[in-house]
Amino acid sequence: MQFIPANIRGPLFMIVSTGSYLVNDTMMKLATSGLPPYEVLFLRGAAATLWGMPLLFMLGYGRQIPLLLERKVLRRNLLELAAILCYVVALANMQIADSTALGQITPLLMLVGSSILFGERIGAARMALIGLGFIGAVMVAQPTMQGISVYALLALGNAALAAGRDLAGRKVGADVPGMIVAISAVLVVLVGAGIAHLISEHWVMPGGYHLLLLAGAGLFLIFGHFFIFMAYRVGPTSAVAPFYYCFTVWAVISGLLVFGQFPNALAVCGILLVVGSGLAVVSLDERRRRLTVVA
């Protein structure tokens, strides 16, 4: 990855991560037609495990498999499990626009947490650009907020736990490969979703269509976990977090290509605002880097 310029590495990884997660979410949404949500999570986890374990050996990480249970890795991935369990319940009981909009506070929480825990300097310009990205994301999601309830609190809980997950990921040692962290997350969610399914749902036999969708979702899930972890490992939070809003842009693309949902004028303006604010953050970082080199 050294051929990728250092200042765009983190943002690029975040863009790939949000795109991978969105492909996974699209396949999961299609698969939930006729299957309970926790069963879908469990089957997706099983598929991701079947993809991921051979991949670890192919990449030469066989001897590092014990790191799947390393304390800091598990702490990060238990937060991932709590976040996804909240998200699935909220999504099943709210309009998707509302749950998506509430999830957009994650980058803001990441910035506050990074400032407190790691002493990162954010700066007024970056905060303003991140605020514009948040406004753009809400313009894309266009929430109705008719579902303010315990489910809205679960959606907020998902956002807070996702921020906690990424902050905890910052403390994982540099000797732990990103793919180890990704597969560990898959396994933790697999076990958690299986327990949740046994407690609260009845098994429904999946068809071949469901299994194909979940096999694809499992593959893209691995890439989503890997790239979001690597994004915060290789780039400062203030430069990477704004690109989390690309999730809403990918969501519009998915809605257009898969579900035939065309974005309205407000959503298009929101997309432009998200993209513009992200590019401005990269430009600001590049300008500061050049000034530092000159100095």
Side-chain angles (χ1 to χ4, degrees), residues 89-222:
V89 176
L91 188 62
N93 293 276
M94 295 177 66
Q95 292 190 32
I96 192 169
D98 294 342
S99 59
T100 299
L102 291 171
Q104 301 310 303
I105 68 170
T106 295
L108 301 177
L109 295 175
M110 271 294 297
L111 286 167
V112 173
S114 294
S115 178
I116 295 172
L117 296 176
F118 304 111
E120 281 196 15
R121 297 182 61 184
I122 300 170
R126 281 177 174 169
M127 278 299 297
L129 290 171
I130 291 163
L132 287 175
F134 173 76
I135 293 170
V138 174
M139 289 168 64
V140 174
Q142 297 175 25
T144 62
M145 301 317 295
Q146 294 174 348
I148 295 296
S149 63
V150 66
Y151 302 114
L153 295 178
L154 286 173
L156 288 170
N158 165 63
L161 289 164
R165 171 202 65 198
D166 294 329
L167 289 169
R170 292 278 302 273
K171 294 188 177 183
V172 174
D175 60 315
V176 180
M179 191 57 70
I180 288 285
V181 177
I183 302 305
S184 176
V186 166
L187 293 172
V188 170
V189 173
L190 170 67
V191 173
I195 294 171
H197 170 68
L198 290 173
I199 292 172
S200 62
E201 297 175 343
H202 295 288
W203 177 262
V204 176
M205 185 59 66
Y209 170 72
H210 296 111
L211 294 177
L212 285 174
L213 285 171
L214 293 171
L219 179 61
F220 280 96
L221 176 69
I222 292 173

Side-chain angles (χ1 to χ4, degrees), residues 1 9-22 24-25 76-77 79-80 83 103-104 106-107 110 158-159 161-172 177-179 181-183 185-186 220-237 239-247 250:
M1 298 182 183
R9 206 171 292 162
L12 179 61
F13 288 173
M14 180 58 81
I15 292 170
V16 175
S17 170
T18 54
S20 298
Y21 276 133
L22 203 284
N24 156 74
D25 285 351
R76 185 242 184 219
N77 291 333
L79 288 166
E80 165 71 19
Q104 301 310 303
T106 295
M110 271 294 297
N158 165 63
L161 289 164
R165 171 202 65 198
D166 294 329
L167 289 169
R170 292 278 302 273
K171 294 188 177 183
V172 174
M179 191 57 70
V181 177
I183 302 305
V186 166
F220 280 96
L221 176 69
I222 292 173
F223 291 117
H225 283 325
F226 173 75
F227 281 107
I228 199 169
F229 174 76
M230 292 302 297
Y232 286 115
R233 170 173 277 186
V234 304
T237 302
V240 172
F243 289 86
Y244 183 90
Y245 297 129
C246 288
F247 191 96
W250 290 119

